[in-house]
Amino acid sequence: MTLIRLIQFRAAYNLPVHAALENGIFADGGLAVEIEYTPGSAYLVEAVRTGRCTIGHAAADDVVCDVENQPGSDVFAFMGLHSGLLSLVGAPACPTMESLRGKPLAVDARDSGFVFILEKALRDHGFGPDEYELVEVGGWESRYHTLIEGKLYATLLTTPFVGAALERGCHVIARGEEMMPVYQATVGLAKRSWAETNRTRLVDYIRCYVAATGWCFAPENRGNCLDILERHNGLTGTAAEETLDSLLDPEHGLYPKAALNIPGIAAALDLRAGMGYMASPPPPPETYIDVSYYEAAIR
């Protein structure tokens, strides 16, 4: 068995990872996968860059940020998980985009991840740069607690945190696909130096993840998927059903084959450049990815 230390956020979209672990898919591929949960995107990418963790699941823009801002960084994206599965959620007193004007808003990090989706949405609604404040608080779970505790007024959330926030009286202001119709959100990332010397292991990991995703999409496994969501995310009843439906949505859910969304990466780069965080025009998506491992896995 080869040990893979995987670092990821707490989120319902981890369903294929848990399915691969619990159904022996990773084990059958010769992999012993240990999971660590991250408090934020910068922590996650640093853990991979420094070699403390083997593989990470984070935003494509987190990869771009690290490559551009950390000298010597060789992290890259090798597969895609989904295009967002996120929503802009406002506090009970903030049901509309206009209600956010002048308010402090929670983000993971100021210069990476999904922050630019939020910032673009605000500017598309006529907000000037001085009409909102972005406060760094960390990952999905931290932002959820900040929102429901009334410390900040809106944030981007994914399942199961969106449903939990709605139960607390919060509001969905906009869905991810409404803010960014084309986007590559979460990707699998690793170090190029590790991948080059462990090519077989990375190919095995991708193959196992794709197989587990296919298992999740199989109708006969729906009950098992709901059970996984209950045990790992505390979801039951209607909340679990709706979460699973969103994960398996053919247009906006998990990528069934985990292929990188190249136009979505280009959109993320354009968005980052448009916000002034890299030169325009930005480098091509190929600067931050390597699809050879994925292509070998699905052959």
Side-chain angles (χ1 to χ4, degrees), residues 113-198:
F114 303 124
V115 64
F116 301 127
I117 294 179
L118 172 57
E119 199 160 11
K120 178 181 181 297
L122 294 169
R123 295 190 182 187
D124 285 349
H125 281 77
F127 285 57
D130 59 344
E131 292 183 293
Y132 56 87
E133 178 187 1
L134 303 180
V135 181
E136 294 182 335
V137 299
W140 305 112
E141 192 171 21
S142 297
R143 299 203 302 278
Y144 164 73
H145 286 295
T146 298
L147 181 66
I148 64 172
E149 290 167 5
K151 297 177 180 177
L152 296 171
Y153 291 87
T155 191
L156 293 174
L157 292 177
T158 190
T159 55
F161 303 109
V162 173
L166 294 181
E167 291 177 357
R168 299 294 191 99
C170 296
H171 310 275
V172 171
I173 296 174
R175 303 284 182 185
E177 61 270 17
E178 298 168 345
M179 295 181 282
M180 283 294 294
V182 178
Y183 195 75
Q184 172 66 77
T186 302
V187 299
L189 63 105
K191 292 177 64 174
R192 293 184 188 272
S193 54
W194 176 85
E196 288 166 0
T197 57
N198 293 272

XYZ file of all heavy atoms in Angstrom, residues 113-198:
677
model
N -8.940 31.581 -4.143
C -10.179 30.837 -3.936
C -11.340 31.461 -4.673
O -11.214 31.913 -5.807
N -12.476 31.527 -3.998
C -13.699 32.007 -4.643
C -13.976 33.480 -4.366
O -15.034 33.988 -4.721
C -14.888 31.173 -4.169
C -14.723 29.697 -4.425
C -14.813 28.773 -3.390
C -14.452 29.220 -5.701
C -14.657 27.417 -3.632
C -14.296 27.877 -5.950
C -14.393 26.964 -4.905
N -13.027 34.166 -3.747
C -13.262 35.555 -3.366
C -13.603 36.420 -4.569
O -14.439 37.330 -4.483
C -12.040 36.125 -2.614
C -10.805 36.167 -3.505
C -12.342 37.511 -2.061
N -12.994 36.122 -5.724
C -13.223 36.972 -6.890
C -14.611 36.769 -7.484
O -15.149 37.656 -8.135
C -12.137 36.735 -7.936
C -10.749 37.011 -7.416
C -9.753 36.069 -7.521
C -10.458 38.218 -6.795
C -8.477 36.316 -7.033
C -9.191 38.491 -6.304
C -8.197 37.529 -6.414
N -15.208 35.593 -7.263
C -16.595 35.396 -7.686
C -17.499 36.338 -6.901
O -18.381 37.001 -7.463
C -17.028 33.935 -7.473
C -16.237 33.007 -8.389
C -18.533 33.777 -7.720
C -16.598 31.543 -8.222
N -17.280 36.390 -5.592
C -18.061 37.298 -4.749
C -17.830 38.745 -5.153
O -18.781 39.523 -5.308
C -17.684 37.083 -3.286
C -18.268 38.074 -2.270
C -19.784 38.099 -2.352
C -17.796 37.733 -0.869
N -16.579 39.105 -5.353
C -16.273 40.489 -5.686
C -16.851 40.884 -7.036
O -17.383 41.990 -7.213
C -14.766 40.691 -5.661
C -14.354 42.130 -5.547
C -12.930 42.303 -5.037
O -12.182 41.310 -4.971
O -12.584 43.455 -4.710
N -16.798 39.983 -7.997
C -17.388 40.259 -9.301
C -18.893 40.454 -9.181
O -19.476 41.350 -9.809
C -17.085 39.130 -10.279
C -17.715 39.314 -11.665
C -17.389 38.156 -12.581
C -17.994 38.357 -13.964
N -19.474 38.413 -13.939
N -19.552 39.596 -8.388
C -20.998 39.712 -8.210
C -21.365 41.068 -7.617
O -22.345 41.703 -8.040
C -21.503 38.581 -7.314
N -20.589 41.517 -6.654
C -20.853 42.819 -6.045
C -20.681 43.947 -7.062
O -21.526 44.845 -7.167
C -19.914 43.035 -4.859
C -20.118 42.099 -3.660
C -18.961 42.243 -2.675
C -21.442 42.366 -2.969
N -19.598 43.888 -7.828
C -19.343 44.962 -8.801
C -20.335 44.924 -9.948
O -20.707 45.968 -10.500
C -17.902 44.858 -9.300
C -16.892 45.104 -8.190
C -15.470 45.236 -8.696
N -14.533 45.412 -7.598
C -13.246 45.680 -7.747
N -12.732 45.798 -8.972
N -12.452 45.811 -6.701
N -20.787 43.711 -10.317
C -21.813 43.604 -11.358
C -23.120 44.268 -10.916
O -23.938 44.656 -11.758
C -22.086 42.140 -11.698
C -20.988 41.517 -12.544
O -20.124 42.259 -13.045
O -20.991 40.277 -12.694
N -23.321 44.368 -9.609
C -24.519 45.020 -9.084
C -24.262 46.479 -8.709
O -25.040 47.088 -7.961
C -25.052 44.257 -7.872
C -25.840 43.038 -8.245
N -25.241 41.863 -8.655
C -27.186 42.818 -8.300
C -26.184 40.975 -8.926
N -27.351 41.525 -8.731
N -23.156 47.023 -9.212
C -22.909 48.444 -9.046
C -22.165 48.845 -7.793
O -22.057 50.040 -7.487
N -21.631 47.879 -7.053
C -20.876 48.211 -5.844
C -19.497 48.757 -6.231
O -18.805 48.166 -7.064
C -20.672 46.971 -4.973
C -21.886 46.526 -4.209
C -23.078 46.228 -4.860
C -21.839 46.400 -2.830
C -24.187 45.805 -4.161
C -22.952 45.964 -2.120
C -24.133 45.674 -2.781
N -19.096 49.837 -5.607
C -17.738 50.318 -5.759
C -16.809 49.608 -4.792
O -17.270 49.019 -3.809
N -15.497 49.653 -5.035
C -14.549 48.956 -4.158
C -14.616 49.381 -2.700
O -14.232 48.620 -1.811
C -13.179 49.308 -4.772
C -13.479 49.675 -6.186
C -14.832 50.313 -6.159
N -15.098 50.609 -2.444
C -15.182 51.100 -1.068
C -16.559 50.865 -0.448
O -16.834 51.357 0.656
C -14.854 52.598 -1.031
C -15.789 53.426 -1.902
O -16.491 52.832 -2.756
O -15.815 54.658 -1.734
N -17.422 50.091 -1.131
C -18.779 49.864 -0.619
C -18.973 48.462 -0.062
O -20.095 48.036 0.175
C -19.800 50.130 -1.723
C -19.865 51.594 -2.121
C -20.940 51.863 -3.161
O -20.799 51.374 -4.303
O -21.921 52.543 -2.828
N -17.876 47.746 0.161
C -17.942 46.448 0.819
C -16.596 46.184 1.474
O -15.579 46.758 1.086
C -18.288 45.323 -0.167
C -17.345 45.217 -1.348
C -16.176 44.461 -1.278
C -17.632 45.864 -2.551
C -15.315 44.356 -2.364
C -16.777 45.769 -3.634
C -15.623 45.016 -3.533
O -14.769 44.918 -4.602
N -16.603 45.336 2.475
C -15.375 44.946 3.172
C -15.300 43.431 3.189
O -16.258 42.758 3.576
C -15.375 45.480 4.602
C -14.135 45.061 5.404
C -14.230 45.443 6.863
O -15.272 46.009 7.263
O -13.279 45.156 7.607
N -14.176 42.876 2.748
C -13.975 41.428 2.724
C -13.082 41.040 3.892
O -11.946 41.499 3.999
C -13.348 41.001 1.400
C -14.147 41.395 0.144
C -13.431 40.920 -1.112
C -15.565 40.829 0.197
N -13.611 40.181 4.757
C -12.920 39.808 5.990
C -12.515 38.339 5.899
O -13.367 37.460 5.724
C -13.821 40.029 7.216
C -13.075 39.668 8.499
C -14.313 41.472 7.263
N -11.239 38.054 6.033
C -10.739 36.674 5.957
C -11.072 35.914 7.246
O -10.664 36.322 8.328
C -9.226 36.672 5.750
C -8.776 37.243 4.426
C -7.269 37.181 4.253
O -6.560 37.156 5.284
O -6.796 37.132 3.097
N -11.785 34.792 7.080
C -12.109 33.971 8.253
C -11.823 32.486 8.028
O -11.966 31.685 8.953
C -13.583 34.155 8.688
C -13.845 35.591 9.070
C -14.543 33.710 7.586
N -11.441 32.078 6.802
C -11.110 30.678 6.562
C -12.151 29.951 5.730
O -12.930 30.567 5.002
N -12.157 28.620 5.846
C -12.943 27.750 4.980
C -14.442 27.776 5.212
O -14.969 28.564 6.005
N -15.130 26.851 4.514
C -16.599 26.808 4.531
C -17.161 26.820 5.948
O -18.069 27.585 6.273
C -17.107 25.557 3.818
C -16.654 25.336 2.432
C -15.818 24.347 1.988
C -17.018 26.088 1.253
N -15.626 24.440 0.632
C -16.358 25.487 0.151
C -17.834 27.197 1.036
C -16.494 25.965 -1.151
C -17.969 27.681 -0.253
C -17.306 27.075 -1.325
N -16.646 25.935 6.796
C -17.184 25.774 8.139
C -17.013 27.047 8.963
O -17.943 27.488 9.657
C -16.496 24.595 8.825
C -17.158 24.153 10.114
C -16.565 22.849 10.638
O -15.421 22.510 10.261
O -17.242 22.180 11.420
N -15.846 27.656 8.888
C -15.594 28.890 9.636
C -16.502 30.011 9.150
O -17.049 30.791 9.953
C -14.131 29.308 9.494
O -13.269 28.342 10.049
N -16.690 30.106 7.850
C -17.538 31.166 7.314
C -18.998 30.937 7.702
O -19.730 31.895 7.990
C -17.380 31.243 5.792
C -15.951 31.562 5.357
C -15.890 32.173 3.981
N -16.458 31.371 2.932
C -15.826 30.366 2.318
N -14.598 30.025 2.692
N -16.400 29.696 1.336
N -19.412 29.693 7.718
C -20.787 29.376 8.136
C -21.033 29.846 9.569
O -22.035 30.514 9.860
C -21.031 27.870 8.013
C -22.258 27.388 8.754
C -23.539 27.665 8.278
C -22.132 26.666 9.938
C -24.665 27.228 8.960
C -23.248 26.232 10.627
C -24.504 26.512 10.143
O -25.616 26.083 10.834
N -20.125 29.511 10.467
C -20.308 29.895 11.866
C -20.260 31.408 12.034
O -21.025 31.980 12.823
C -19.250 29.224 12.742
C -19.493 27.764 12.950
N -20.595 27.278 13.637
C -18.798 26.674 12.555
C -20.556 25.960 13.667
N -19.488 25.561 13.006
N -19.388 32.065 11.282
C -19.320 33.527 11.335
C -20.649 34.139 10.916
O -21.115 35.118 11.513
C -18.191 34.036 10.423
O -16.944 33.519 10.890
C -18.125 35.550 10.435
N -21.268 33.548 9.900
C -22.539 34.071 9.391
C -23.671 33.873 10.401
O -24.403 34.817 10.735
C -22.887 33.380 8.073
C -24.177 33.829 7.387
C -24.064 35.273 6.918
C -24.510 32.917 6.207
N -23.829 32.650 10.896
C -24.988 32.386 11.773
C -24.806 33.010 13.159
O -25.800 33.214 13.878
C -25.276 30.876 11.902
C -24.107 30.158 12.590
C -25.573 30.267 10.539
C -24.422 28.713 12.922
N -23.575 33.318 13.511
C -23.347 33.994 14.794
C -23.533 35.503 14.682
O -23.408 36.225 15.683
C -21.933 33.677 15.299
C -21.776 32.220 15.749
C -20.319 31.815 15.939
O -19.436 32.705 15.815
O -20.065 30.628 16.173
N -23.841 35.981 13.474
C -24.125 37.390 13.277
C -22.915 38.292 13.262
O -23.032 39.515 13.388
N -21.722 37.708 13.070
C -20.505 38.516 13.073
C -20.281 39.211 11.741
O -19.722 40.308 11.692
C -19.309 37.638 13.416
C -19.379 37.037 14.820
C -18.195 36.119 15.088
C -18.268 35.516 16.480
N -17.139 34.566 16.724
N -20.670 38.563 10.638
C -20.568 39.143 9.312
C -21.875 38.895 8.570
O -22.713 38.102 9.023
C -19.364 38.548 8.563
C -17.996 38.868 9.206
C -16.886 38.074 8.533
C -17.686 40.361 9.138
N -22.066 39.538 7.415
C -23.406 39.644 6.852
C -23.685 38.752 5.645
O -24.836 38.584 5.271
C -23.696 41.108 6.505
C -23.833 41.959 7.736
C -22.718 42.542 8.325
C -25.075 42.160 8.333
C -22.825 43.314 9.471
C -25.199 42.924 9.481
C -24.079 43.499 10.058
O -24.195 44.241 11.206
N -22.665 38.194 5.028
C -22.882 37.295 3.894
C -21.581 36.574 3.598
O -20.493 37.024 3.984
C -23.356 38.053 2.654
N -21.696 35.454 2.903
C -20.515 34.711 2.493
C -20.909 33.707 1.428
O -22.102 33.442 1.207
C -19.868 33.993 3.692
O -18.582 33.500 3.313
C -20.729 32.834 4.176
N -19.920 33.123 0.772
C -20.155 32.017 -0.138
C -20.098 30.721 0.658
O -19.171 30.499 1.434
C -19.094 31.994 -1.243
C -19.108 33.158 -2.228
C -17.905 33.066 -3.162
C -20.395 33.195 -3.031
N -21.105 29.860 0.453
C -21.176 28.578 1.151
C -21.483 27.466 0.162
O -22.052 27.705 -0.911
C -22.261 28.598 2.234
C -22.028 29.505 3.437
C -23.245 29.456 4.360
C -20.770 29.121 4.201
N -21.133 26.251 0.531
C -21.496 25.061 -0.222
C -22.319 24.154 0.673
O -22.519 24.433 1.863
C -20.231 24.339 -0.734
O -20.593 23.332 -1.657
C -19.456 23.704 0.415
N -22.830 23.053 0.109
C -23.559 22.098 0.921
C -22.597 21.359 1.847
O -21.439 21.136 1.475
C -24.275 21.071 0.027
O -23.301 20.460 -0.840
C -25.366 21.699 -0.797
N -23.012 21.012 3.065
C -24.344 21.151 3.644
C -24.583 22.483 4.340
O -25.638 22.679 4.950
C -24.362 20.018 4.673
C -22.971 19.989 5.187
C -22.099 20.285 3.981
N -23.618 23.402 4.254
C -23.721 24.637 5.025
C -24.803 25.576 4.506
O -25.366 26.355 5.277
C -22.359 25.334 5.050
C -21.264 24.469 5.611
C -20.262 23.958 4.789
C -21.250 24.131 6.948
C -19.265 23.159 5.293
C -20.249 23.321 7.470
C -19.260 22.821 6.639
N -25.110 25.508 3.197
C -26.180 26.357 2.659
C -27.502 25.998 3.327
O -28.222 26.867 3.848
C -26.292 26.206 1.131
C -27.514 26.969 0.616
C -25.042 26.726 0.442
N -27.844 24.710 3.320
C -29.107 24.286 3.924
C -29.177 24.616 5.401
O -30.226 25.057 5.910
N -28.075 24.405 6.115
C -28.050 24.706 7.547
C -28.255 26.193 7.798
O -28.949 26.591 8.754
C -26.728 24.237 8.148
N -27.675 27.031 6.945
C -27.848 28.475 7.099
C -29.299 28.887 6.833
O -29.854 29.753 7.526
C -26.901 29.216 6.160
N -29.913 28.276 5.823
C -31.308 28.592 5.523
C -32.213 28.234 6.701
O -33.174 28.954 7.002
C -31.762 27.857 4.260
C -31.082 28.275 2.954
C -31.639 27.489 1.779
C -31.216 29.766 2.707
N -31.908 27.142 7.373
C -32.697 26.754 8.545
C -32.563 27.772 9.669
O -33.438 27.853 10.538
C -32.251 25.379 9.036
C -32.621 24.241 8.091
C -32.110 22.900 8.569
O -31.414 22.863 9.609
O -32.402 21.885 7.906
N -31.488 28.543 9.662
C -31.270 29.585 10.671
C -31.825 30.936 10.222
O -31.556 31.954 10.860
C -29.770 29.723 10.960
C -29.103 28.464 11.518
C -29.616 28.099 12.895
N -28.818 27.074 13.523
C -27.879 27.286 14.429
N -27.613 28.513 14.820
N -27.205 26.278 14.967
N -32.562 30.960 9.124
C -33.187 32.194 8.676
C -32.398 32.979 7.662
O -32.787 34.101 7.299
N -31.294 32.417 7.179
C -30.493 33.109 6.168
C -31.136 32.991 4.791
O -32.113 32.269 4.613
C -29.076 32.545 6.162
S -28.165 32.826 7.702
N -30.562 33.662 3.812
C -31.147 33.730 2.471
C -30.103 33.410 1.401
O -28.962 33.862 1.496
C -31.692 35.135 2.192
C -32.586 35.669 3.262
N -33.933 35.395 3.322
C -32.301 36.460 4.344
C -34.455 36.003 4.378
N -33.490 36.654 5.014
N -30.511 32.669 0.372
C -29.680 32.506 -0.811
C -29.884 33.725 -1.700
O -30.988 33.955 -2.209
C -30.012 31.212 -1.574
C -29.282 31.193 -2.917
C -29.612 29.987 -0.760
N -28.835 34.496 -1.881
C -28.908 35.706 -2.696
C -28.623 35.391 -4.156
O -29.251 35.947 -5.063
C -27.922 36.761 -2.159
C -28.335 37.187 -0.746
C -27.862 37.965 -3.087
C -27.351 38.125 -0.078
N -27.672 34.492 -4.410
C -27.345 34.112 -5.787
C -26.654 32.761 -5.787
O -25.902 32.429 -4.858
C -26.437 35.159 -6.433
N -26.918 31.961 -6.817
C -26.256 30.672 -6.999
C -24.954 30.874 -7.772
O -24.793 31.843 -8.519
C -27.164 29.715 -7.782
C -28.520 29.479 -7.134
C -28.428 28.547 -5.955
N -29.735 28.275 -5.371
C -29.919 27.565 -4.262
N -28.874 27.042 -3.640
N -31.135 27.373 -3.777
N -24.051 29.918 -7.595
C -22.759 30.028 -8.243
C -22.839 30.170 -9.743
O -22.143 31.011 -10.341
N -23.704 29.366 -10.385
C -23.798 29.412 -11.841
C -24.403 30.715 -12.342
O -24.223 31.089 -13.503
C -24.606 28.226 -12.358
C -26.043 28.157 -11.869
C -26.196 27.381 -10.574
O -25.179 27.168 -9.864
O -27.345 26.982 -10.271
N -25.129 31.431 -11.461
C -25.651 32.745 -11.831
C -24.538 33.793 -11.811
O -24.535 34.717 -12.632
C -26.765 33.154 -10.873
C -27.970 32.230 -10.901
C -28.943 32.470 -9.764
O -28.569 33.144 -8.785
O -30.073 31.970 -9.852
N -23.599 33.639 -10.893
C -22.503 34.595 -10.778
C -21.388 34.307 -11.780
O -20.777 35.224 -12.324
C -21.957 34.570 -9.347
C -22.952 35.059 -8.301
S -22.281 35.041 -6.605
C -22.407 33.270 -6.220
N -21.098 33.020 -12.005
C -20.041 32.610 -12.947
C -20.530 31.385 -13.710
O -20.356 30.248 -13.252
C -18.749 32.290 -12.210
C -17.963 33.493 -11.759
S -17.284 34.487 -13.110
C -16.096 33.355 -13.829
N -21.162 31.583 -14.881
C -21.713 30.436 -15.630
C -20.661 29.418 -16.041
O -20.959 28.230 -16.160
C -22.362 31.100 -16.848
C -22.614 32.516 -16.439
C -21.488 32.861 -15.512
N -19.442 29.864 -16.310
C -18.339 28.963 -16.688
C -17.218 29.170 -15.691
O -16.684 30.280 -15.562
C -17.841 29.250 -18.118
C -16.673 28.336 -18.464
C -18.971 29.090 -19.118
N -16.842 28.101 -14.966
C -15.826 28.251 -13.938
C -15.317 26.881 -13.515
O -16.092 25.921 -13.466
C -16.403 28.973 -12.716
C -15.375 29.486 -11.743
C -14.624 30.618 -12.038
C -15.167 28.851 -10.527
C -13.665 31.104 -11.142
C -14.214 29.326 -9.631
C -13.477 30.449 -9.939
O -12.537 30.923 -9.056
N -14.022 26.778 -13.247
C -13.470 25.587 -12.622
C -13.247 25.905 -11.156
O -12.409 26.734 -10.814
C -12.149 25.168 -13.264
C -11.418 24.041 -12.542
C -12.164 22.718 -12.580
O -12.167 22.026 -13.589
N -12.815 22.375 -11.479
N -14.023 25.255 -10.317
C -13.899 25.490 -8.883
C -12.859 24.542 -8.298
O -11.665 24.736 -8.456
C -15.251 25.350 -8.207
N -13.299 23.479 -7.636
C -12.364 22.598 -6.936
C -11.646 21.662 -7.895
O -12.253 21.093 -8.805
C -13.109 21.797 -5.865
O -13.740 22.713 -4.958
C -12.160 20.917 -5.072
N -10.355 21.504 -7.659
C -9.505 20.621 -8.462
C -8.699 19.714 -7.533
O -8.596 19.958 -6.326
C -8.520 21.423 -9.348
C -9.272 22.312 -10.315
C -7.558 22.248 -8.484
N -8.129 18.675 -8.110
C -7.113 17.901 -7.418
C -5.766 18.523 -7.721
O -5.470 18.857 -8.871
N -4.938 18.717 -6.696
C -3.643 19.330 -6.903
C -2.544 18.536 -6.205
O -2.784 17.841 -5.223
C -3.640 20.782 -6.413
C -3.869 21.014 -4.918
C -2.557 21.380 -4.231
C -4.898 22.119 -4.682
N -1.357 18.650 -6.732
C -0.184 17.973 -6.178
C 1.051 18.756 -6.593
O 0.971 19.753 -7.322
C -0.097 16.532 -6.681
N 2.222 18.322 -6.131
C 3.486 18.916 -6.549
C 3.964 18.217 -7.819
O 3.904 16.987 -7.928
C 4.549 18.745 -5.456
C 4.289 19.536 -4.207
C 5.368 19.244 -3.162
C 6.737 19.693 -3.629
N 7.767 19.541 -2.569
N 4.458 18.972 -8.752
C 4.998 18.369 -9.979
C 6.161 17.430 -9.650
O 6.281 16.359 -10.253
C 5.455 19.463 -10.942
C 4.313 20.310 -11.511
C 4.830 21.315 -12.523
N 3.804 22.252 -12.936
C 2.949 22.061 -13.933
N 3.016 20.931 -14.626
N 2.039 22.961 -14.245
N 7.018 17.828 -8.734
C 8.171 16.995 -8.399
C 7.744 15.657 -7.809
O 8.335 14.613 -8.119
C 9.093 17.729 -7.429
O 8.376 18.173 -6.282
N 6.701 15.667 -6.974
C 6.190 14.402 -6.427
C 5.541 13.581 -7.531
O 5.754 12.364 -7.634
C 5.181 14.664 -5.306
C 4.569 13.386 -4.793
C 5.078 12.557 -3.844
C 3.347 12.773 -5.253
N 4.262 11.469 -3.657
C 3.185 11.574 -4.520
C 2.377 13.113 -6.192
C 2.106 10.720 -4.700
C 1.298 12.273 -6.387
C 1.164 11.084 -5.641
N 4.744 14.226 -8.369
C 4.020 13.509 -9.425
C 4.981 12.846 -10.403
O 4.734 11.725 -10.873
C 3.091 14.473 -10.156
N 6.062 13.523 -10.718
C 7.007 12.969 -11.688
C 7.664 11.688 -11.185
O 7.954 10.784 -11.968
C 8.076 14.019 -12.016
C 7.531 15.171 -12.867
C 8.481 16.356 -12.911
O 9.557 16.274 -12.276
O 8.136 17.368 -13.549
N 7.893 11.603 -9.890
C 8.532 10.409 -9.322
C 7.535 9.391 -8.789
O 7.929 8.295 -8.376
C 9.509 10.807 -8.200
O 8.795 11.550 -7.196
C 10.639 11.645 -8.743
N 6.251 9.765 -8.788
C 5.192 8.864 -8.306
C 4.047 8.810 -9.312
O 2.877 8.801 -8.934
C 4.668 9.335 -6.940
C 5.702 9.217 -5.858
O 5.843 8.186 -5.207
N 6.442 10.300 -5.642
